[in-house]
Amino acid sequence: MSSSIASTKADSKIPLVDLQAQYRSIQSEVDAAIRRVLDRSSFILGDEVLAFESAFAKHVGATGAVGVSSGTAALQLALRALGVSRGDEVITTAHTFIATAEAISNIGAVPVFVDIDPVTYNIDPAEIEAKISERTRAILPVHLYGQPADMTAIMAIAEERGLWVVEDAAQAHGAAIDGRRCGSIGHLACFSFYPGKNLGAYGDAGAVTGNDPEVLDRIRRMRDHGRTTKYEHVEVGYAERIDALHAAVLGAKLPHLESWTDARRSHARRYSELLEGAMVEVPVTRDGFRHVFHLYVVRSARRDELLARLREEGIGAGIHYPIPLHRQPAYVALGYGDVSLPHTEAAAAEVLSLPMYPELTDEQIQRIVATVRASVA
Ligand SMILES: *Cc1c(COP(=O)(O)O)cnc(C)c1O
């Protein structure tokens, strides 16, 4: 095994994500979209934004989509539009990127962290009920790594207790449960088009999707200074519009998303097949759930050793996420130091993301797997 690793271009690096490979594969379409915006010099809202919003809503299977300046902005605007405000509690997960909780904190609301299901890494619906108080207004599940959270159970709890559900779908473009796409199931859903996401802009961008036209209109107004006409502002809003340039780039990329997702899913199958019998746990996908593998995450008690070895071999592995949110200094300072979430803490110590992007080659996957096997044999 080790001699074959040495012979397969051990010097060439394999990044965690390769944005250049994607750009090269669609360069003429993206360049044409950018040129179109420059030629018209219409940079704020307008046709490019409207066209992308309607194409994206259609892709998600939602009534509408509102393009905003980032996934974080999408989360904040969604919570605000549903009336979540100061002192309200929002139930969420601590095993996620900090933006999930920041959006709650930055509108004066309070994140209440619930432990994860240790198999899927998503919020455990069975743990939600016990954390609901009279101040709870919403549940904010994250479809982590691209696998849908258990939305059937979450929607049932929300309905029974009169709570809003906002999906954090920042990692879940095209993910679905029994054919129903993430982004169309909760009351609202938030997407990020950060460059490394499954659908990425060339800078920060995001969107809120949903099925209630009135709520979507409120978000459309809020992202644009609470404006109803050029000089009339009915509420204090934000400057959180999506840029026309990003909308044009995203519009050029969207038709490719399905084939990119298929490639990710096929790379994931290949990884799992080749890792069979190796001393790492591979991702488990729930029946009927379409996992879109924003990240391919394995688990090992010897994670740190494995990470060091992969890096030595020029393989860009990552950890998503090494410090749970209740252990982040930012949240310890807010009084979360005593919160205990055993499954979340265990996952943070053991998860490892292997390179994942549509353009990954089988040869690269084989080299990565050989390195994993050699270091945890
Ligand atoms: C990327 C991400 C966000 C934030 O999106 P930005 O566009 O970077 O603001 C929120 N939640 C999750 C789970 C993410 O992965």
Side-chain angles (χ1 to χ4, degrees), residues 36-329:
R36 201 166 64 231
V37 176
L38 298 183
D39 282 342
R40 283 192 205 152
S41 291
S42 171
F43 300 111
I44 305 294
L45 298 178
D47 291 346
E48 295 288 348
V49 171
L50 287 170
F52 173 66
E53 286 175 339
S54 81
F56 191 66
K58 196 165 165 221
H59 177 266
V60 168
T63 302
V66 183
V68 298
S69 55
S70 69
T72 309
L75 288 163
Q76 272 191 52
L77 290 168
L79 292 168
R80 288 272 325 249
L82 294 171
V84 178
S85 63
R86 191 157 296 278
D88 289 341
E89 292 177 357
V90 179
I91 290 176
T92 191
T93 166
H95 188 59
T96 178
F97 180 55
I98 195 165
T100 308
E102 271 177 330
I104 301 167
S105 301
N106 282 336
I107 62 167
V110 180
V112 174
F113 298 120
V114 163
D115 212 353
I116 54 168
D117 169 342
V119 174
T120 62
Y121 306 107
N122 277 324
I123 191 168
D124 184 350
E127 303 279 321
I128 292 177
E129 203 93 42
K131 302 275 177 104
I132 297 175
S133 79
E134 61 288 9
R135 284 158 69 193
T136 309
R137 291 296 300 278
I139 307 172
L140 209 178
V142 179
H143 307 304
L144 198 71
Y145 307 147
Q147 166 144 245
D150 185 351
M151 291 302 289
T152 311
I154 292 167
M155 293 309 289
I157 296 168
E159 194 159 322
E160 195 189 313
R161 307 296 293 260
L163 304 174
W164 297 115
V165 176
V166 176
E167 302 172 59
D168 182 337
Q171 304 187 357
H173 315 73
I177 301 174
D178 295 328
R180 240 182 120 190
R181 292 241 161 123
C182 291
S184 69
I185 307 171
H187 297 102
L188 288 173
C190 302
F191 288 87
S192 166
F193 306 122
Y194 184 81
K197 297 290 160 76
N198 288 24
L199 179 64
Y202 291 163
D204 284 303
V208 182
T209 59
N211 296 317
D212 182 337
E214 260 174 58
V215 178
L216 293 171
D217 277 345
R218 170 130 203 253
I219 295 168
R220 207 165 271 124
R221 203 169 69 202
M222 280 168 55
R223 75 171 169 186
D224 190 26
H225 304 285
R227 182 182 263 151
T228 42
T229 60
K230 190 160 171 58
Y231 294 112
E232 189 179 34
H233 308 268
V234 294
E235 66 181 328
V236 176
Y238 299 86
E240 290 184 341
R241 300 165 297 235
I242 191 171
D243 287 317
L245 267 171
H246 293 313
V249 168
L250 290 164
K253 284 180 149 201
L254 185 59
H256 298 278
L257 180 58
E258 274 309 292
S259 69
W260 289 334
T261 302
D262 288 342
R264 286 175 183 275
R265 286 166 52 78
S266 126
H267 298 334
R269 274 194 300 275
R270 186 73 174 135
Y271 264 131
S272 294
E273 193 179 286
L274 293 173
L275 282 168
E276 211 178 293
M279 297 298 287
V280 296
E281 288 170 42
V282 299
V284 174
T285 306
R286 292 268 181 243
D287 281 348
F289 282 37
R290 184 178 193 234
H291 191 326
V292 295
F293 291 96
H294 171 59
L295 294 166
Y296 182 87
V297 176
V298 297
R299 183 167 182 156
S300 161
R302 291 162 63 194
R303 189 266 314 275
D304 293 338
E305 247 173 277
L306 191 49
L307 177 63
R309 181 66 177 272
L310 287 162
R311 289 195 172 155
E312 266 166 42
E313 294 289 326
I315 295 168
I319 300 175
H320 302 88
Y321 295 86
I323 308 174
L325 299 187
H326 62 297
R327 295 280 188 253
Q328 288 288 354

